Amino acid sequence: MVRKNELPACPVAVTVSLIGSKWKLLILRDLTAKVCRFNELKRSLVGVSHKMLAQSLRELETDGIVSRTVFEGKVPHVEYELTALGRSMDPILKAMAQWGEKYKKDNVLND
């Protein structure tokens, strides 16, 4: 978790500092729909490197937005899901999706 005195004064800047990267937003998009394993996220996020995905997930976990659960067994695996704090960002993601759809409809030329 980040210390309060390390956060920007502006609330929008706080949000951007936590989820403002392209990959973090797309990770949140995917985890809003379901719990995912690392490779599921990697396949979904076309162009993300292994290193960038791992780093983004670690940062989201550190900030309390994503939880990571390790399952031991013959084939150990890790699953990622949104925490309650992460799920509270759902309205933000929905608003971004609606805005993106409207932008595409109003500002993109049809071929």
Side-chain angles (χ1 to χ4, degrees), residues 94-107:
K94 283 182 178 171
M96 290 177 74
Q98 290 170 347
W99 189 90
E101 284 298 323
K102 182 170 178 5
Y103 179 86
K104 284 174 28 179
K105 178 181 166 222
D106 295 346
N107 295 294

Side-chain angles (χ1 to χ4, degrees), residues 50-66:
H50 183 93
K51 179 182 174 183
M52 181 55 67
L53 178 56
Q55 177 183 329
S56 297
L57 285 165
R58 267 194 308 276
E59 290 172 3
L60 288 167
E61 184 181 4
T62 299
D63 292 333
I65 296 167
V66 167

Side-chain angles (χ1 to χ4, degrees), residues 82-97:
L82 295 178
T83 62
L85 178 62
R87 285 189 302 277
S88 73
M89 293 183 177
D90 190 47
I92 296 168
L93 297 170
K94 283 182 178 171
M96 290 177 74

Side-chain angles (χ1 to χ4, degrees), residues 19-84:
I19 64 166
S21 80
K22 169 185 175 179
W23 300 120
K24 286 181 181 181
L25 285 168
L26 295 176
I27 289 166
L28 294 175
R29 175 204 63 192
D30 286 0
L31 293 179
T32 296
K34 64 178 184 164
V35 174
C36 294
R37 292 184 181 190
F38 185 91
N39 284 331
E40 286 179 280
L41 290 167
K42 181 117 174 56
R43 280 189 299 273
S44 175
L45 306 174
V46 176
V48 71
S49 68
H50 183 93
K51 179 182 174 183
M52 181 55 67
L53 178 56
Q55 177 183 329
S56 297
L57 285 165
R58 267 194 308 276
E59 290 172 3
L60 288 167
E61 184 181 4
T62 299
D63 292 333
I65 296 167
V66 167
S67 68
R68 176 182 187 266
T69 305
V70 178
F71 293 90
E72 301 294 336
K74 284 186 178 181
V75 182
H77 67 277
V78 176
E79 291 182 347
Y80 296 91
E81 66 182 309
L82 295 178
T83 62

